Amino acid sequence: MSGDVAANLATVRNKIGEAAERSGRTAEAVRLVLVTKTVAAERVRQAVRAGQIDLGENKVQEGRRKADGLAGETIRWSMIGHLQSNKVKDVLRFAAEVQSLDRLSLATALEKRLQHLGQGLDVLVQVNTSNEASKYGLAPDEVPAFLKALQAFDALRPRGFMTLARFTPDVAEVRRCFRVLRSIRDKAVLDAPQGAALAGLSMGMSGDYEVAIEEGATIVRVGQAVFGPRPLPDSYYWPDLAMTAGGS
Ligand SMILES: *Cc1c(COP(=O)(O)O)cnc(C)c1O
């Protein structure tokens, strides 16, 4: 990896294309959400100028600030981190998608604000596929009832599922997490009221996005492979992670 954002982005895009081919798909079947947390707006702008439209932020305040700093650019922001219900108003000021929908109280808060704004919102249901107590997300067996309940929320457009794999160098275990999410998706497309609209699978980060694509990811969330290592440990972004997996 070089310090050149555009070059790193091109490298990641190539690898996405190659992994997509290995899974019998084309590069267009996979959406790259470039994760910009901790990265200054001016470095993010280099990626945007290189044609990157989809950006993701983990925290609401930082996302808002960065969206303001990049106003005027063509960007579609995704919220990918844990979202408190009292931050809903702020997240809807910049995000076009929330990938971390993990409870009905959040759906209720989003719906209320969206009705007020007269808007809809793409959402992904976050699932805890690693069975770690520290991870946010629904347990796999909670998903069918959750999808049924989501029908009552007119402004929310469920588009599929998101997960964080277990933080481990054990690729087989990471792959297992991705397969769990994929099988949840496959079942939901057949059985859930939203049907084929739920085809989205957001899984894979800098260390494992190629594996995720091989397992069917339609969205990957990649930051460090483009921008370089973050100054703060991942435990800062995923509270309690340090206790369970040691972060990285
Ligand atoms: C930070 C983050 C990513 C990207 O991680 P990288 O190691 O920078 O690729 C993906 N998903 C979520 C939810 C994140 O917070």
Side-chain angles (χ1 to χ4, degrees), residues 35 37 58 80 162 164 205-206 221-224 230 238:
V35 178
K37 65 189 189 218
N58 177 291
I80 61 172
M162 185 272 255
L164 291 157
M205 316 187 342
S206 288
R221 310 177 307 269
V222 174
Q224 296 181 91
R230 276 185 292 275
W238 297 292

Side-chain angles (χ1 to χ4, degrees), residues 59 167 232-243 246-248:
K59 289 180 183 288
F167 290 92
L232 294 165
D234 280 345
S235 52
Y236 174 77
Y237 299 95
W238 297 292
D240 301 336
L241 183 69
M243 288 162 49
S248 67

